[in-house]
Amino acid sequence: VKCIWVRCDYNFEKSPWLKQFSNLHQGRIPPVVIPSDNWEEFAQPRRGSYVMTKTSWSATNKTDLLNVLRDSNIETVLVAGLITS
């Protein structure tokens, strides 16, 4: 079993959808999320785990996730998370 950890890096320079998101919510919700090495105590990557950073809602858009899955011959994926959309 291979566990791939995904963290977010949402900022206006990297995420083209943020301007639209900000406009839709009229500035009430700050959409900037900065990645951190601080994980919840109960959910932390093990040493040597693959941790990737995504800059949009999709974990496959502009990331290496599909290549990692393909190169690892992974055909079945279970998605779980603390925050999902």
Side-chain angles (χ1 to χ4, degrees):
V1 174
K2 182 173 191 143
C3 186
I4 300 172
W5 296 79
V6 180
R7 63 182 174 183
C8 303
D9 183 1
Y10 299 156
N11 64 58
F12 285 95
E13 291 83 37
K14 295 180 180 177
S15 300
W17 59 268
L18 280 180
K19 184 170 181 159
Q20 180 181 4
F21 182 85
S22 183
N23 289 338
L24 286 172
H25 293 280
Q26 300 172 345
R28 292 182 307 239
I29 302 171
V32 177
V33 176
I34 300 170
S36 169
D37 289 328
N38 298 324
W39 298 85
E40 296 292 340
E41 187 175 323
F42 59 88
Q44 296 185 19
R46 291 183 179 167
R47 183 180 230 179
S49 293
Y50 182 78
V51 177
M52 59 166 273
T53 303
K54 67 177 188 161
T55 57
S56 74
W57 290 344
S58 172
T60 59
N61 184 29
K62 297 182 182 178
T63 69
D64 288 336
L65 180 58
L66 293 178
N67 290 330
V68 169
L69 296 173
R70 212 174 282 122
D71 293 347
S72 301
N73 295 315
I74 295 174
E75 297 178 356
T76 304
V77 177
L78 172 66
V79 178
L82 299 177
I83 301 174
T84 59
S85 57

